[in-house]
Amino acid sequence: MSFRSMRCRECGRGRVRSVAKSGRFQRYQGALLRVPAKLKIPTCDACGEEWVDGPTAEKLESALSTIYRKRAAQIIARAMKAVRHYARQKSMSLASIEALLGMSTGYLSRLRAERREPSAALVNELALIGKDPRRLRELEKVWEQ
Ligand SMILES: [Zn+2]
């Protein structure tokens, strides 16, 4: 299906054309990511509504997946550096930290080694803990009665 000069069904005024521009964002796995400026998306020239067709959806999925995995890996690497430093200071094992986070032993190591897509919730949690690893102590008390 071609969107070339299709009239926009949202506003009924504009024409839908393939547009590449910066400043677009998309949710991916719960994270708000910047869409690559070069990626063309059929867009209404009047109201700005995006009409994502099959081929565009595939390109978008592929691009956002790459961006997500790279960014998640950066965030996790930074957070883990801070967590490991804190763990050494407090003589905590990585396994005990994984237990605090509700993870199985070795999960954090595997997370870094494998090219998986960790959930945005997990990346967010690690990012916050990485900014202040003392929060690990707070986690010990969260489920206390
Ligand atoms: Zn429109």
Side-chain angles (χ1 to χ4, degrees), residues 8-15 44-49 51:
C8 175
R9 291 194 300 273
E10 183 68 22
C11 67
R13 295 178 290 120
R15 293 278 174 191
C44 172
D45 60 9
C47 73
E49 182 73 14
W51 298 92

Side-chain angles (χ1 to χ4, degrees), residues 113-130:
E114 291 172 18
R115 290 171 177 253
R116 314 175 41 188
E117 279 194 0
S119 74
L122 175 61
V123 177
N124 290 343
E125 183 182 18
L126 289 175
L128 288 176
I129 289 166

